[in-house]
Amino acid sequence: MAITVVGSVAYDSVETPAGKYDRRLAGAATYFALAASYFTDVRVIAVVGDDFGPEQEAVFKAHGIDTRGIERAAGKTFFWQGSYLDNLNEARTHRTDLNVFAGFEPKIPDAYRDSDFLFLANIDPVLQRRVREAMPDVRLVAGDTMNYWIKDHRAALLELLKGLDILLINDTETRMLAGTNNPVKAARAVLAMGPKTLVVKHGEYGATAFFAQDAANASQRSTIRAFRAPALPLDEVVDPTGAGDSFAGGFFGYLASSAAAGGIRPAAFRHAMFYGGVMGSFAVERFGTERLQGLSREEIDERFLLFRELTHLE
Ligand code: AMP
């Protein structure tokens, strides 16, 4: 089961209470692809500039990630500068240089067309929709977005949401998109926009999946169907950058691997929520993508057991 991901491959400069770094390889598609690569085959669609060379390519290759869809353009790679000095759960953006991303026209290599799963990382919803429409045969489509698109590009985002199976966003984005603060009312409002499942990420407090009701049962249930997964209590969060994309990579990567073994059962969905938390917790332990680059499947499964212990009753 292969996943195609479209999104940013970037250079980040980041400051956190634990320290800072300058111009390291990052981006939503990079974090997602690294996290998902521990579970299944991953293919990336993105654009980079002439400052992206063999050293950066090697990071993807070391994880068996297909980079044929990473286009080289004249100019500089997307650059993001942010900090988390007052609040580890929310990035403060200091600078976003779109660079080659400004003229990005996603092109889908023929070799990607038989992908089973599609992840639309946080980019312009018009581009997300274009990729989604160009890959009509995928079995499952998930996506992410951010406050900027919710506020200023709402119409395009609403069009995109109609074609999503799963939307993964954080608490603030959910409230902003729904226009209401109550988490259940907000989830219902977002599910009415199209996605069959809404995964709301609560940063250091875990994540909740809300499921759309099928019409037959809708009138019988007053409570919304939901599943909550914890986050691992950590002594220190070194760098929260990429936690959301790593969560998405673990979540979707696990779903793809379990679909390979048959259909996607509800239990697989619950496990996927835990694996999302596992990969998010690794991502924040070191700066940038460092921790995600050097993991083993054994470490991942050991941590999964810690997540189980956190919530197991007997
Ligand atoms: P997150 O998982 O939300 O922390 O995602 C962090 C990554 O998103 C960073 O590595 C950034 O390079 C990337 N990023 C930040 N702003 C944008 C944007 N406007 N569009 C696409 N990617 C972005």
Side-chain angles (χ1 to χ4, degrees), residues 8 10 12 26-28 31 78 80 84 96 122-123 146 240-245:
S8 56
D12 283 2
Y31 279 105
F78 178 93
W80 180 74
Y84 300 83
T96 304
N122 165 36
I123 48 168
M146 70 187 287
T241 314
D245 302 304

Side-chain angles (χ1 to χ4, degrees), residues 126 178 184 242:
V126 170
V184 175

